[in-house]
Amino acid sequence: MKSICPFCGVGCGLELMTANNVVVSVKPDPEHVVSRGHICGKGSVAHEALTAWDRLYYPLKKVKGQLERTSWDDSIKYTIESIKNIQKKYGNDSVAFYGGCQNSLEEGYLFQKLARALGTNNVDSCARVCHDPSAKALKEIVGIGAGSNSATEIPKAKVVVVAGESITDSHPVLIQYFLEAKKNGAKIILIDPRTTRLAGFADLHLKVKPMSDIFLFNAVGNYLIQHSMIKQDFIDSRTEGYEEYKENVSKYTIELAAEQTGLAEKDIIAFAKYVSEDRVIFSWGLGLTQSTGTKGIKSYLSLPLLTGNFGKEGAGAIVYRGQTNVQGSGDLIKPDVFPNGEMNDANSEALSRIWGFKPPICKGSSIPETFYGSKKIKALFIMGYNPVRTLPDRDKVKEFLGSLEFLVVQDIFMTDTAGYADVVLPAAAWAEKEGSVSSLDRLVKWRFKAVDPPGIARPDYEILSDLAKAAGYNFSANPKELFEEMKKVATVYSHLNIEDVMDYTKDSRYPNGELHLYEEKFATKSGKAKFVPVDAEKHNDGLILVTGRTVTRYNSDEVVNRIPGMQGYNLKLWINPADAKNIGIEDGTMVKLKSKSGEMDITAKITDDVIPGVVFTYMHNPRINDIVSPEFDDETHTPKYKYTPVTVTK
């Protein structure tokens, strides 16, 4: 049976072999249009977590402080009654619905629809805490909150810039395209404070200090303008806001950028010359979104506008998203916009004609707004998301969950968050249901059901449909019907054809199936892309903790730790030799890593792979989120996981 890998945003095609209602093996699908017969080590054992020893088999309900087995009828009825009682007491906005990014497009669509049927826009997904800055910046500048190019176009580029992303660790299957690009003569530019494996074949590695990206991008923009290395015809005919941008970046010199980034002036100039080429792909990962965030991406995206690198093959923007359907969740589940556009009366009326009810217009609360300060949320519904394990400053997260009057967790495992729940609803996993997912480069593909879920666990769309019925609404539980309804609502998916989505050999992308967008016009109201001037800020000169991925692990390790032979690993803190000398430690020394949020003991790894002033460790061990501080992006409230001031002592 064909399926899509449940891990990163590449969305590799899989073929699942089954026996006696068990997926017994996985192999790569040679027909898949992007992965082309490749999978990584995680994908090859993805099926093994399906039979984990602690899968949820039946609904649970808290009775006298203990979770006890209950029926589906009782859990559904109790959930809706409890939510409605709380809303009657505190108002509709006292309830929030927050989901993960492993669910299908149809399930995400149904999830936010249920929340709005119950009268609240407090809906969000974990796309908020990773690439929401990317979506917001792209939406404002080019009109669609997604990358403009397919990953398959990387070999067509003359230059590929990678900012804040370790391809070999996070999206290893895409390395095939980088190798092809190198074979074709392309130059690879890496912007990262540590030496990743990609640095081994980069033509230029810019080891920037954390949070200094805007100094770099603004200075390069100014240099391109001053040296007439821009595409003035493209700027004049296809963009707006150029003069304001030009004036703003005029104060950002190469000298200032060198001082703030720690880079050599000659390397900054070399970067400017590389990006002035005709076919350049500007790509980035969490190293950018979870540090300088929305402002950093706006500054970065000015470079392809200056050089005319949008709207053609091998030229544009690619976002390295971390989960299978994080693009889709970000498209559909937001507290400040509807799936059909802006949160206004006209769009609410349009939705009422499809849904049979009019959703509220007032802006809802995002995940960070709720967990770090909101006092209005009294009940919370969480689907496929584990904030206790993944959000920063864990003590505050636990404190908030403990303050709730009612918590529902719908998941496949008994997670840390589920331990706080009043009701736990057992969900089917990725291979036990069907539905579509949207990859990092806008490719939408269908997952086909291979086996039944364990016990009486059920697909999320069936659970959500039954919850809606208990609340007095008739929502479909058929994923194909939901797909067609979603197309009517979400403009970016309106041109999809379900037959193409189910065919792994075809490029099914939105809005019109283009491998690259914006050949003739941008998707903004004016049809032109926007230069958005932003300013850089000077930051802490002390030690900064940066987190990242390794190829054998995945996110918070919730799934990987349930795969036999992959449980646990030796967590280390990477420290530059100069910093180690100042601290007075050697390789292998146990050190204390401390921030304003918490502290932990960890083994030091002395290496030149990180620059002085930066310490690095992998994000996968949940102890790290005791250390990461809850500093947020100004525009999206995305946590700055890649920038935590710390101290390191023996």
Side-chain angles (χ1 to χ4, degrees), residues 59-61 70-86 118 381 406 408 422-423 425 458 463-472:
L60 302 171
K61 177 181 175 181
T70 187
S71 67
W72 272 113
D73 286 345
D74 179 56
S75 60
I76 294 291
K77 181 181 178 182
Y78 180 64
T79 295
I80 291 300
E81 286 181 349
S82 299
I83 288 174
K84 287 195 168 184
N85 286 338
I86 286 173
L118 292 171
F381 193 118
F406 187 66
V408 183
D422 297 284
V423 174
L425 304 176
R458 301 170 65 196
I463 301 171
L464 295 170
S465 175
D466 278 358
L467 287 165
K469 288 176 184 175

Side-chain angles (χ1 to χ4, degrees), residues 209-345:
K209 293 179 182 178
M211 294 290 286
S212 68
D213 310 273
I214 297 175
F215 283 103
L216 172 64
F217 303 144
N218 280 1
V220 168
N222 185 32
Y223 184 91
L224 292 171
I225 293 169
Q226 295 302 320
H227 290 79
S228 301
M229 299 166 68
I230 59 177
K231 297 292 190 299
Q232 194 67 53
D233 288 347
F234 181 91
I235 294 169
D236 292 341
S237 63
R238 302 204 56 195
T239 72
E240 54 193 13
Y242 170 68
E243 291 300 330
E244 293 83 356
Y245 170 81
K246 178 181 177 181
E247 180 180 354
N248 185 66
V249 298
S250 63
K251 57 183 177 285
Y252 290 89
T253 63
I254 297 296
E255 294 77 15
L256 175 63
E259 174 190 330
Q260 293 299 317
T261 62
L263 301 173
E265 291 182 21
K266 66 178 180 61
D267 289 337
I268 298 175
I269 293 171
F271 175 49
K273 291 178 178 177
Y274 277 126
V275 300
S276 68
E277 290 281 355
D278 185 44
R279 282 186 281 114
V280 183
I281 285 178
F282 293 79
S283 63
W284 66 94
L286 294 179
L288 195 53
T289 63
Q290 293 177 341
S291 58
T292 48
T294 309
K295 289 181 178 178
I297 296 162
K298 288 177 181 178
S299 177
Y300 188 44
L301 288 173
S302 295
L303 302 183
L305 295 185
L306 285 172
T307 57
N309 275 299
F310 265 118
K312 52 191 174 185
E313 188 176 54
I318 293 178
V319 186
Y320 300 113
R321 288 179 171 266
Q323 297 193 63
T324 310
N325 196 41
V326 64
Q327 177 66 57
S329 296
D331 288 334
L332 298 172
I333 312 172
K334 287 187 181 296
D336 56 343
V337 294
F338 293 134
N340 68 334
E342 295 179 10
M343 192 170 283
N344 55 37
D345 193 63

Side-chain angles (χ1 to χ4, degrees), residues 103-397:
N103 300 99
S104 67
L105 286 169
E106 295 74 25
E107 289 165 336
Y109 170 76
L110 197 57
F111 185 65
Q112 60 80 37
K113 181 182 175 182
L114 173 62
R116 286 168 167 134
L118 292 171
T120 182
N121 286 318
N122 297 327
V123 295
D124 207 358
S125 75
C126 65
R128 169 75 50 187
V129 301
C130 56
H131 271 293
D132 206 52
S134 301
K136 186 171 182 62
L138 284 160
K139 177 76 173 177
E140 182 176 354
I141 291 172
V142 294
I144 294 176
S148 63
N149 292 66
S150 166
T152 61
E153 291 189 76
I154 290 173
K156 306 287 187 175
K158 289 184 179 178
V159 177
V160 184
V161 185
V162 180
E165 162 74 12
S166 175
I167 299 292
T168 55
D169 290 308
S170 300
H171 303 87
V173 168
L174 293 187
I175 282 295
Q176 61 180 306
Y177 293 110
F178 282 83
L179 293 174
E180 286 182 34
K182 288 291 288 184
K183 185 178 179 180
N184 294 340
K187 304 297 183 183
I188 308 297
I189 314 301
L190 177 63
I191 304 173
D192 202 303
R194 69 185 184 104
T195 303
T196 62
R197 290 182 179 89
L198 188 64
F201 38 126
D203 296 273
L204 178 64
H205 181 191
L206 301 174
K207 298 182 180 182
V208 296
K209 293 179 182 178
M211 294 290 286
S212 68
D213 310 273
I214 297 175
F215 283 103
L216 172 64
F217 303 144
N218 280 1
V220 168
N222 185 32
Y223 184 91
L224 292 171
I225 293 169
Q226 295 302 320
H227 290 79
S228 301
M229 299 166 68
I230 59 177
K231 297 292 190 299
Q232 194 67 53
D233 288 347
F234 181 91
I235 294 169
D236 292 341
S237 63
R238 302 204 56 195
T239 72
E240 54 193 13
Y242 170 68
E243 291 300 330
E244 293 83 356
Y245 170 81
K246 178 181 177 181
E247 180 180 354
N248 185 66
V249 298
S250 63
K251 57 183 177 285
Y252 290 89
T253 63
I254 297 296
E255 294 77 15
L256 175 63
E259 174 190 330
Q260 293 299 317
T261 62
L263 301 173
E265 291 182 21
K266 66 178 180 61
D267 289 337
I268 298 175
I269 293 171
F271 175 49
K273 291 178 178 177
Y274 277 126
V275 300
S276 68
E277 290 281 355
D278 185 44
R279 282 186 281 114
V280 183
I281 285 178
F282 293 79
S283 63
W284 66 94
L286 294 179
L288 195 53
T289 63
Q290 293 177 341
S291 58
T292 48
T294 309
K295 289 181 178 178
I297 296 162
K298 288 177 181 178
S299 177
Y300 188 44
L301 288 173
S302 295
L303 302 183
L305 295 185
L306 285 172
T307 57
N309 275 299
F310 265 118
K312 52 191 174 185
E313 188 176 54
I318 293 178
V319 186
Y320 300 113
R321 288 179 171 266
Q323 297 193 63
T324 310
N325 196 41
V326 64
Q327 177 66 57
S329 296
D331 288 334
L332 298 172
I333 312 172
K334 287 187 181 296
D336 56 343
V337 294
F338 293 134
N340 68 334
E342 295 179 10
M343 192 170 283
N344 55 37
D345 193 63
N347 284 338
S348 180
E349 286 285 354
L351 287 172
S352 72
R353 292 191 288 273
I354 298 173
W355 289 351
F357 65 88
K358 186 176 180 180
I361 297 174
C362 57
K363 175 184 176 294
S365 293
S366 69
I367 289 171
E369 287 172 322
T370 291
F371 276 85
Y372 301 97
S374 175
K375 302 297 183 183
K376 71 177 183 179
I377 304 300
K378 304 298 181 182
L380 184 60
F381 193 118
I382 293 179
M383 180 177 77
Y385 181 40
N386 189 5
V388 171
R389 198 174 178 96
T390 58
L391 285 178
D393 203 344
R394 184 172 287 111
D395 287 343
K396 286 189 177 180
V397 175

Side-chain angles (χ1 to χ4, degrees), residues 407-583:
L407 173 64
V408 183
V409 173
Q410 185 168 305
D411 215 314
I412 63 175
F413 300 125
M414 190 67 191
T415 63
D416 298 332
T417 304
Y420 288 81
D422 297 284
V423 174
V424 179
L425 304 176
W430 58 281
E432 300 159 356
K433 57 186 178 181
E434 62 177 324
S436 59
V437 292
S438 184
S439 69
L440 65 85
D441 59 352
R442 300 176 288 108
L443 182 72
V444 180
K445 287 297 168 202
W446 197 264
R447 279 189 179 135
F448 295 89
K449 179 181 176 181
V451 293
D452 293 324
I456 58 172
R458 301 170 65 196
D460 294 278
Y461 44 77
E462 291 185 5
I463 301 171
L464 295 170
S465 175
D466 278 358
L467 287 165
K469 288 176 184 175
Y473 297 93
N474 185 22
F475 292 178
S476 175
N478 184 316
K480 295 182 180 69
E481 291 178 358
L482 290 168
F483 177 87
E484 297 301 332
E485 181 182 323
M486 176 194 70
K487 285 171 52 182
K488 294 177 183 177
V489 171
T491 305
V492 292
Y493 293 111
S494 62
H495 298 278
L496 290 175
N497 179 289
I498 196 166
E499 286 77 20
D500 290 343
V501 169
M502 290 181 172
D503 187 340
Y504 285 20
T505 68
K506 291 185 178 179
D507 267 298
S508 50
R509 300 172 195 271
Y510 67 80
N512 291 306
E514 302 101 327
L515 288 179
H516 54 270
L517 304 176
Y518 316 128
E519 279 193 9
E520 297 180 1
K521 65 178 181 178
F522 290 92
T524 58
K525 288 182 179 179
S526 66
K528 294 185 176 183
K530 300 178 182 179
F531 282 96
V532 182
V534 295
D535 278 314
E537 300 175 9
K538 296 181 180 180
H539 287 85
N540 193 304
D541 288 330
L543 279 180
I544 300 300
L545 171 67
V546 173
T547 64
R549 290 184 168 102
T550 184
V551 67
T552 57
R553 321 304 302 181
Y554 181 70
N555 286 4
S556 63
D557 264 4
E558 194 72 68
V559 173
V560 171
N561 270 333
R562 289 172 167 85
I563 295 175
M566 295 186 72
Q567 293 88 358
Y569 63 103
N570 186 15
L571 191 67
K572 293 186 178 182
L573 185 70
W574 299 15
I575 305 175
N576 184 273
D579 293 322
K581 184 177 180 181
N582 291 336
I583 299 167

